[in-house]
Amino acid sequence: MPLSLPDFIARWQAATLSERSAAQSHFNDLCDLLGHAKPAEADPTGAWYTFEKGVSKTGGGQGFADVWMRGHFAWEYKGKHKNLDAAYRQLLQYKEDLENPPLLVVCDLDRFEVHTNFTNTIKRVYSFSLADLASTDPTPTCPLPPLEVLRALFTQPDRLRPDLTAAEVTEEAAARFGLLAQSLHKRGADPEEAAHFLMRLLFCLFAEDIRLLPPGLFTQLVARTRKDPEQFNALVQQLFEKMATGGWFGVEKIAHFNGGLFADSRTLELTSDDLSVLSLASKLDWASVEPAIFGTLFERSLDPSKRAQLGAHYTSKEDILLIVEPVLMEPLRRRWVEVQAQAQGVIDKRNATADRAARTRYDQDLSRVLWAFTDEIASTRVFDPACGSGNFLYVALKRLLDLEKEVSVFAASNGLPGMFVKSDPSQLYGIEINPYAYELASVVVWIGYIQWLRDNGFGSPTPPILKRLDNIKHMDAILAYDEQGKPVEPEWPEADVIIGNPPFLGGSKIRRELGDKYTQSLWKLYEGRVPAFADLVCYWFERAREQIGCGNTQRVGLLATQGIRGGVNRKVLERIKETGDIFWAQSDRDWILAGANVHVSMVGFDTGAEQARTLDGIPVSDINANLTSKIDLTKASRLSENANIGFKGPSPGGSFDITPEVAQSMLNASGNPHGKPNSDIVKPIVNAADVMQRSRHYWTIDFGPYISQEEAALYEAPFEYVKHHVYPERANNRRKAYKERWWIYQEPRIDLRKALVPLSRYIVTPRVSKHRVFVWLNKNTLANDANVIIARDDDYFFGVLHSKLHELWALSLGTALEDRPRYTATTTFETYPFPWPPGKEPQGDPRVEAIAEAARELVRLRDNWLNPPDASEADLKKRTLTNLYNLRPTWLDNAHHRLDRAVLDAYAWPHDLTDEQILERLLALNLERAANNKPAEQNGSRSGNLSSVPEDQDGGEIEDE
């Protein structure tokens, strides 16, 4: 018969029994009260629900959980009025051996605390007493009726899952602090001082919720001085002083924190409105913030230049682990397997003898083996040379601590006394140039470390709680100057592993973003090692390669955009393979950069000591410099026979484009002083979107490459338009030629124009596009620099370009922007070996005509689909090349298959070749042609090794890919 609630409360309020005498009776009575089966009734074998569940403590030795129910809870009893925190710490040490139950319960017969232990959620504590069970209302410390909480333990543990995830709490906390940062910024606070002050406030909130500060101390300080900012500033300054040294703050004793964060007690004035924001922030669960994303979010909230990214996506812990696991942890995990085997040998010998003295010696041997391995873990140094706000460093430290904990559990399960973890933030090294991120890095690492200790039952750091992290430096990682002003490489620390996410900045943007002096110094310092116009990330790759070469590091894992695989960027990967090797890579991976989804490559490299090779999660025998594993297309050369055919479109460098209405008014105008029409220089313009979507019908004012200012002015209306719209843009251009010849396109592409003179039409494809599509344009229409132009007007050439063979080659040799592959006039076009060298196609050959006919049919069918007669305007908007190739109807597939077969026939190759076989044959043909031809001379060298010049170089101008 179920026990009544009043009887249960009365019985246990009066009880004075010890924990040992009372625990099981108390729990059995609770089962009677709730009408739930007792452990011995429900599970006589004790397999999934039992009293006294044996466990191994992470701190060493054996223990017992008072009650355990698989998938529901672990329960620890204490005698009346005993310390429940101590009971909770015990459960934290047991939880791995208890299969990580979602709820951890501690009880002293009168008080109950139910701690949530759900993955990826904030921690919540449902706290109530025996007397509270009589109420059907929630209590201040229990948002559900207490009796319902106890019922949920047995029947619906998910009902107690916190609604908020740790990520959501972190996002809200960052948003609150963003308001404070914005307020200080508006009042002219120094950015670095503001960041440092806000970090101290932030840490106070965290320390309070994790009980390193007295509970409620900081929250009450804010609440009681909210209308008196002057008093708040005075009191918080006193608190900072006590946190620096330890001591009494009023009637509360403050622990010794220090660590640089509280090295001084300076404050910045906050307003009443600021304190209201801080008061709201104090109500959040700061103990549950997620360090893996904490730094990124708070950097955005503190840094005015990044505040617009608040609310955008961020790099998750799982993304960071993609690099941390194979580069940092894999060798340690292999070593742990070896250590376990060695330890098991000692354990077997110990268990085989009954001699007490011998068993003691074996225990000592076992302890030495395990302690030696924890020393290896704790001495592993991790360096992030672009550490940002410390996210990679935190994740690395957490993984090291997790492995140490595995060792501790292994020791405990084999009868050894307690082992403590030795890994700590002193193993981490970083360099960061952004002052906001630099301030955050140490805080992120310390918060993560303290959280880990708490969540795993290892207590708190010994005082001072915050040791100084001088290993994280505020400096430039790739360029410094000596006392004479000469560019030098900044010193990097020795470290076992280098990991990180260096800044992504296209090579053509470096000068614009970092200035002329910086760019010239960088190029001079790294001359011969990193090509000019390489992306900024390449300098981190080269420095890391050097660190391996001089023995300062063993393994490296860095991120880059996919551009690292091609063009001049690939030179750094080629150098890595010359002096060492790539052992792990992700060739194409989604990543979050400044809130935007981009595609990146990840590269792990070393001296060549690592024997295993893994590419995109698959074991391979070798990884090429373009991050492929089989056919090494980086060996392909530019072919002189392809020179002077493929070009990037002209670059305007100003607002030359005009609307159809403006264009029509110019075309209709008459009365130019020289009597010539404006149609000479007002031409239709096409960008990449015009090619793949519906045309905007825009026009451009193109005076060509040679016309003088006096001659241009004779085209009165177009010239005045350019003078009004373009001249102000070009007047401050850093390049003299662009500034002085402001009425002319910035890069008119003279060689392109010469190549187009004899043609009536030409071939165009977007430089960046999801689908590799080619179209025809009339020679009077200008395709701008968003396109690559092929100066041929024959259907045969169009057909080869649009074949599967050429597309495979372009995809394999090109890089990508997000999910849109790039096409370039150099890397992808000039390297492609056509069936016959351009210009040497056999006239009248039926194979040539078969390709031409298939190409004409493809274009005819496409044009009919794009522009059907009597189609509505709404229907026409949907009929784009992008949508067509997304749909890829059967008729389109058939047309392409016909074309592919004709092109394969031209090469005299079978129709059933695999993609890999096609690429193998094309590479062989490329190398054969390259060996038989002299390099072409155009704009410097346009042939030879693929990384010899930047992609799409033209007249010294490099534009971002």
Side-chain angles (χ1 to χ4, degrees), residues 854-869:
R856 284 191 290 268
E857 180 65 4
L858 171 64
V859 171
R860 186 184 69 80
L861 293 172
R862 277 194 333 203
D863 287 347
N864 288 344
W865 185 89
L866 289 169
N867 299 291

Side-chain angles (χ1 to χ4, degrees), residues 59-119:
Q62 297 296 121
F64 297 90
D66 289 330
V67 197
W68 171 71
M69 187 177 187
R70 177 181 287 139
H72 288 249
F73 60 80
W75 192 304
E76 188 70 23
Y77 274 103
K78 288 294 178 186
K80 274 196 175 180
H81 312 303
K82 296 294 185 181
N83 186 347
L84 290 183
D85 285 347
Y88 178 56
R89 284 197 297 273
Q90 278 185 259
L91 284 180
L92 289 175
Q93 292 198 344
Y94 297 163
K95 64 179 183 178
E96 274 74 21
D97 253 17
L98 296 172
E99 303 175 26
N100 259 316
L103 300 166
L104 304 175
V105 187
V106 291
C107 177
D108 72 350
L109 308 179
D110 181 62
R111 293 174 298 147
F112 299 79
E113 286 184 4
V114 179
H115 295 253
T116 62
N117 187 43
F118 294 94
T119 304

Side-chain angles (χ1 to χ4, degrees), residues 829-867:
F829 174 78
E830 287 192 357
T831 58
Y832 183 73
F834 284 82
W836 300 275
K840 296 183 179 179
E841 301 85 5
Q843 298 301 312
D845 191 300
R847 293 170 296 176
V848 173
E849 180 51 36
I851 294 172
E853 176 54 35
R856 284 191 290 268
E857 180 65 4
L858 171 64
V859 171
R860 186 184 69 80
L861 293 172
R862 277 194 333 203
D863 287 347
N864 288 344
W865 185 89
L866 289 169
N867 299 291

Side-chain angles (χ1 to χ4, degrees), residues 152-179:
L153 287 171
F154 294 91
T155 59
Q156 292 179 291
D158 273 353
R159 189 179 176 195
L160 304 182
R161 182 190 296 270
D163 294 332
L164 286 176
T165 65
E168 288 169 332
V169 171
T170 310
E171 290 171 10
E172 185 173 351
R176 300 281 185 202
F177 265 68
L179 295 174

